[in-house]
Amino acid sequence: MVALGRTRIGSRSGYINRFIKHVSRKIMMGHISEQLPKTFNVAAYLLNGNLERGNSQKVAFFSRQDNYTYEQLSQRVQQAARLLTSLGLERENRLAILLPDSPESVFAFWGAIWLGALPVPINTASSIEQAQHILRDSRAKILLSERSWQTKLAPIESPFLQQVLLTDGDDSFLSLLSQQPEEPFPCAETARDEPAFWLYTSGSTGMPKGVIHLHQSMVICAENYAKATLGLKPDDITYSVAKIPFAYGLGNTLFMPLAVGASTVLSDASNVFDIIADIHHYQPTVLFGIPSLYANLLAVSDIESLDVDSLRLCISAAEQLPESIWHQWRETYNREIYEGIGTTEFLHIFLANRLGECKPGTSGRPVIGYDVQVVDQNGQPCPPGEIGDLVVSGESLMLGYWNRLTETREVLWGNTMHTGDKYVQDGSGYFKFVGRKDDLFKVNGQWISPLEIEDILHQHPQILEVAVVPESDEGEKLTQVVAYVSLKSGKEPTSELGTEIYQFAKQRLTHFKAPKTLRFVEQLPRTATGKIHRKSVADSQKMALNN
């Protein structure tokens, strides 16, 4: 007998399969959470669902270490739950996972949810200070990491941490798993609206905040975006550049492929050439990228061209994709990029461009199940073409920020969130990102969006990336437009090139929007999730060039 609370691996009752079809029929009605049983464990639902559908011998994920079928994944997850229980991890305790995307991180994440504990993935691109903060703030009882990170963090500044498990060494996490019995381990009878995991924000405006998500949230995002918007299929293979601790990467790699019985690739590729090698090796059908990935792939296309034959979908999220990059990608590879936007607080994408309905330079239109509006300072809807604040409602909205009551109440109004993003909606219902509320600035008394200027500069053939920020003249206190520019490989900064770029911008922008100062940098600073860190961009190592 299959129940969504306690499940048996060998069961073939078909209940979960019928339930999945039932939920799918209810998508158009919304309120997916109401279609789920009150007692609901999302790990059991997704893993046992695949066994019910006959996917036991299908590869769930590929990795350089090994490939794992759905049956092997289910077994390792239950062994992880048993191991963590034996080490004292109890229901509602936190398990911190500070690892690259790997089999160990997958087993531990689902294993913790299986036993009713809360996994807390930590991005390996985090600073030592950020990692220490997350360990302390989450009150994690156990940390799963690598020996190199254990050394970096020593001493770990958390009085709550009781044990550190390592993925390397004599008593590695995988070796400990192999010592566990293989018989089924009962899952916790959790509730659909009970916390299942935490994700931490990127910390671009202070220390990261813990975002609490529920068991039902993964199902909601999978139904609304993976199935209804992308049309993700069982024969798809997904490849995500965004990593598991990032909400975008968590969906791309962990729960969306499982929700449809697809396969995914676990990779820790850190440069564009390794990513190209991965894509050529694994032949994914869906590429979940970020704007900088597409820019870098285009920048090296003359050196090493990407074989896109396997790709049916190219997705971009995390930050605005320059329209010029979209057109270059289609011209070079004959593929469209389907841009979308989401937040950690909503777990995944709520605005998206769709197949056959793509409008470059926009975040697309609302994903089914989400109400998205642009409102003025009084909370009233803005007419098309008017800039306002983006507010979003939807079932996957977080429970709140951990121990941040004031911040939670500042952004949540009932089931609606004020995202802090400035947007404009056109007459066709497409939403265009203008910037974060603190990104916009005034020059000559007129508002400027850095993204507009950056998109023009991206069209220059020698520019790889650019960030536009305001800087004030110390003498007259006047705000001027400053552009920080990184060049494509092999290009050298010169005063002549600076003048050329300035003239290029001046010919395409209103005079007061053209950057008065241009500074070349080797690379732009980024947050742990890969977004350009605007607040620290002026502190980057400067290769002085002023116009």
Side-chain angles (χ1 to χ4, degrees):
M1 177 179 181
V2 174
L4 294 179
R6 287 181 193 273
T7 40
R8 300 177 186 273
I9 290 182
S11 174
R12 291 292 182 268
S13 71
Y15 177 83
I16 290 179
N17 206 16
R18 293 195 301 274
F19 173 70
I20 292 169
K21 292 178 181 178
H22 176 64
V23 170
S24 298
R25 288 195 299 269
K26 295 291 185 178
I27 280 181
M28 295 302 295
M29 298 173 59
H31 305 295
I32 291 172
S33 62
E34 295 178 5
Q35 310 306 316
L36 303 174
K38 181 64 178 176
T39 299
F40 180 81
N41 185 300
V42 69
Y45 168 69
L46 292 174
L47 292 171
N48 286 288
N50 276 287
L51 301 184
E52 284 290 320
R53 292 191 293 268
N55 290 338
S56 61
Q57 299 309 308
K58 183 178 181 179
V59 173
F61 63 82
F62 300 92
S63 76
R64 292 291 183 180
Q65 296 168 255
D66 206 348
N67 301 332
Y68 288 85
T69 65
Y70 274 101
E71 184 174 59
Q72 291 170 326
L73 172 59
S74 181
Q75 184 179 92
R76 296 296 185 276
V77 166
Q78 293 182 70
Q79 287 176 313
R82 189 187 298 273
L83 170 63
L84 293 170
T85 299
S86 71
L87 296 175
L89 194 71
E90 300 176 332
R91 187 164 172 171
E92 299 180 9
N93 288 167
R94 267 75 78 190
L95 167 71
I97 304 172
L98 180 52
L99 289 173
D101 288 6
S102 61
E104 294 94 330
S105 61
V106 173
F107 301 152
F109 184 90
W110 289 120
I113 293 178
W114 189 278
L115 66 87
L118 303 168
V120 182
I122 304 176
N123 200 319
T124 54
S126 300
S127 66
I128 300 298
E129 183 183 17
Q130 288 173 329
Q132 292 277 23
H133 164 75
I134 294 172
L135 288 171
R136 188 169 55 249
D137 184 68
S138 68
R139 302 176 188 171
K141 192 173 184 178
I142 297 177
L143 167 64
L144 175 63
S145 190
E146 298 171 317
R147 194 170 302 277
S148 60
W149 264 103
Q150 183 186 39
T151 301
K152 292 178 190 176
L153 291 169
I156 296 177
E157 300 168 359
S158 173
F160 308 100
L161 194 67
Q162 296 183 9
Q163 187 159 357
V164 177
L165 294 174
L166 299 176
T167 57
D168 45 2
D170 294 335
D171 293 322
S172 71
F173 183 65
L174 284 182
S175 68
L176 292 175
L177 286 190
S178 67
Q179 298 170 25
Q180 302 301 308
E182 294 184 357
E183 61 260 22
F185 185 79
C187 70
E189 295 183 348
T190 49
R192 69 191 182 203
D193 53 2
E194 179 178 332
F197 59 97
W198 293 8
L199 292 173
Y200 273 80
T201 60
S202 60
S204 57
T205 56
M207 278 297 170
K209 298 186 291 288
V211 176
I212 303 171
H213 275 293
L214 313 177
H215 282 259
Q216 66 190 31
S217 299
M218 290 183 174
V219 178
I220 292 163
C221 291
E223 294 291 339
N224 288 338
Y225 183 66
K227 295 182 182 180
T229 303
L230 291 186
L232 206 63
K233 303 179 295 185
D235 58 354
D236 276 320
I237 300 174
T238 69
Y239 184 93
S240 179
V241 173
K243 303 308 177 188
I244 288 173
F246 184 13
Y248 177 46
L250 185 82
N252 306 340
T253 301
L254 281 190
F255 65 84
M256 293 199 307
L258 264 66
V260 301
S263 304
T264 194
V265 177
L266 297 178
S267 171
D268 196 35
S270 58
N271 64 67
V272 66
F273 296 107
D274 288 342
I275 291 171
I276 291 173
D278 274 347
I279 292 173
H280 291 172
H281 177 74
Y282 293 109
Q283 295 287 290
T285 60
V286 182
L287 171 62
F288 290 101
I290 58 178
S292 61
L293 168 70
Y294 292 108
N296 280 295
L297 287 170
L298 288 167
V300 302
S301 59
D302 290 341
I303 304 171
E304 185 166 358
S305 182
L306 176 69
D307 182 353
V308 299
D309 284 350
S310 69
L311 295 176
R312 71 175 188 87
L313 290 175
C314 298
I315 314 297
S316 182
E319 56 186 341
Q320 184 73 26
L321 178 76
E323 188 173 345
S324 55
I325 297 296
W326 189 95
H327 287 290
Q328 290 176 47
W329 184 263
R330 188 174 66 170
E331 181 180 346
T332 303
Y333 290 114
N334 195 29
R335 295 287 190 278
E336 293 185 336
I337 299 174
Y338 302 99
E339 184 175 3
I341 193 70
T343 63
T344 305
E345 290 84 354
F346 275 99
L347 186 56
H348 216 268
I349 289 173
F350 50 72
L351 280 173
N353 281 280
R354 295 162 172 80
L355 189 66
E357 303 175 0
C358 198
K359 190 167 187 178
T362 75
S363 301
R365 295 182 295 183
V367 169
I368 189 171
Y370 295 93
D371 180 39
V372 185
Q373 295 187 53
V374 178
V375 301
D376 60 22
Q377 59 184 2
N378 297 316
Q380 298 301 310
C382 292
E386 184 176 305
I387 296 174
D389 298 313
L390 191 75
V391 296
V392 186
S393 301
E395 285 190 285
S396 64
L397 182 59
M398 67 176 180
L399 181 64
Y401 299 121
W402 169 250
N403 272 354
R404 301 283 190 100
L405 180 61
T406 300
E407 289 94 328
T408 300
R409 287 182 172 170
E410 285 175 350
V411 301
L412 297 189
W413 297 70
N415 67 344
T416 298
M417 178 181 175
H418 290 238
T419 65
D421 292 324
K422 292 288 186 181
Y423 262 82
V424 61
Q425 185 179 12
D426 66 19
S428 301
Y430 285 82
F431 289 72
K432 183 177 179 62
F433 180 60
V434 181
R436 293 289 294 175
K437 60 184 178 182
D438 49 358
D439 285 342
L440 277 66
F441 57 93
K442 281 188 175 182
V443 172
N444 292 348
Q446 299 189 57
W447 284 108
I448 282 183
S449 168
L451 298 176
E452 177 188 1
I453 304 170
E454 290 168 4
D455 192 45
I456 292 297
L457 292 175
H458 267 290
Q459 297 174 31
H460 191 279
Q462 296 194 41
I463 290 178
L464 177 62
E465 290 187 312
V466 60
V468 169
V469 297
E471 290 188 10
S472 298
D473 180 272
E474 289 298 326
E476 301 180 16
K477 302 296 182 184
L478 296 176
T479 300
Q480 64 174 335
V481 180
V482 178
Y484 287 81
V485 171
S486 66
L487 300 175
K488 293 180 179 178
S489 179
K491 308 299 181 182
E492 295 295 331
T494 63
S495 57
E496 291 78 10
L497 178 58
T499 301
E500 177 189 322
I501 293 173
Y502 173 69
Q503 293 298 330
F504 180 89
K506 189 176 180 181
Q507 293 169 8
R508 292 163 174 81
L509 290 164
T510 307
H511 72 280
F512 65 87
K513 295 181 180 180
K516 299 301 186 293
T517 300
L518 183 71
R519 297 195 176 109
F520 292 113
V521 295
E522 291 185 7
Q523 59 183 14
L524 295 171
R526 295 186 175 277
T527 66
T529 53
K531 299 178 184 178
I532 292 175
H533 199 317
R534 293 185 179 278
K535 292 191 177 298
S536 64
V537 70
D539 298 326
S540 301
Q541 181 182 1
K542 297 175 183 178
M543 300 170 66
L545 181 79
N546 297 318
N547 292 326

